[in-house]
Amino acid sequence: MRVLGVDPGLTRCGVGVVEGVAGRPLTMLGVGVVRTPTDAELGHRLVAVERGIEEWLDEHRPEFVAVERVFSQHNVRTVMGTAQASAVAMLCASRRGIPVALHTPSEVKAAVTGSGRADKAQVGAMVTRLLRLDAPPKPADAADALALAICHIWRAPAVNRLQQAHAAAAAAGTRHVPRTPAVPVRKVPR
């Protein structure tokens, strides 16, 4: 499985390609950052992100694209730029028919380090170790993109099994399976 991980951002959009399967050593095929000038118009910055993502898709031909799910931050301007860059990455992949998966930051950290509260240095160190690199990728956005790709490779088999089970249940006409059996309600005299 070949996955392009995207750590979205308007100024620095981390990108990294990892190939492998769960339970086997993984291989990094490329890592980098798509940069845009902070003084450029928003539209021009989004086009620059699109061109950068398209170049990575052309060069590496991933089977999946894993994008960090945008989460609420205190700085609305930052979260808007992140969401816009995320949408560009999803659009580029979808336009080519490449499946897109969204992973939360804590999900990625937990998959790579074992703790959903790991800091950037811990994520970088584990990415370095898992991919057998000489040094952590710089900047942190690049390491985060690789962590997204690793997370997807490791979690995709379980997610696919769940999706197949839901699809099979839907095909069988089972719309909802109750978690607990219904208990009859009985009025108690006062």
Side-chain angles (χ1 to χ4, degrees):
M1 174 183 310
R2 183 178 291 191
V3 179
L4 170 66
V6 179
D7 181 37
L10 266 183
T11 304
R12 288 184 318 270
C13 182
V15 286
V17 181
V18 176
E19 188 170 63
V21 295
R24 303 253 171 118
L26 304 172
T27 304
M28 180 190 75
L29 301 179
V31 66
V33 176
V34 175
R35 297 179 188 272
T36 68
T38 57
D39 59 346
E41 280 186 35
L42 175 62
H44 295 298
R45 294 178 79 185
L46 293 173
V47 168
V49 170
E50 178 195 26
R51 286 183 182 146
I53 298 287
E54 291 288 350
E55 287 174 14
W56 279 83
L57 293 171
D58 287 340
E59 182 177 345
H60 295 284
R61 305 237 180 262
E63 300 165 75
F64 298 92
V65 173
V67 180
E68 182 175 275
R69 184 182 299 273
V70 178
F71 63 97
S72 178
Q73 296 175 336
H74 297 294
N75 187 339
V76 174
R77 187 173 177 181
T78 301
V79 78
M80 288 300 295
T82 302
Q84 290 162 337
S86 176
V88 168
M90 290 187 283
L91 173 69
C92 291
S94 297
R95 185 184 295 142
R96 293 170 181 241
I98 302 171
V100 176
L102 300 175
H103 298 282
T104 65
S106 59
E107 179 184 357
V108 174
K109 291 174 186 178
V112 174
T113 70
S115 169
R117 296 182 179 197
D119 62 23
K120 290 210 177 267
Q122 290 170 311
V123 171
M126 283 306 296
V127 165
T128 302
R129 183 175 177 196
L130 292 168
L131 297 175
R132 300 169 313 283
L133 305 175
D134 294 330
K138 300 279 184 191
D141 308 275
D144 289 348
L146 291 171
L148 276 151
I150 292 168
C151 174
H152 186 73
I153 289 170
W154 286 354
R155 292 184 174 238
V159 170
N160 288 341
R161 284 192 300 274
L162 284 171
Q163 288 173 340
Q164 289 170 354
H166 285 289
T174 309
R175 298 195 73 175
H176 175 71
V177 178
R179 294 178 188 228
T180 57
V183 177
V185 177
R186 183 170 57 105
K187 284 193 171 183
V188 178
R190 293 185 182 189

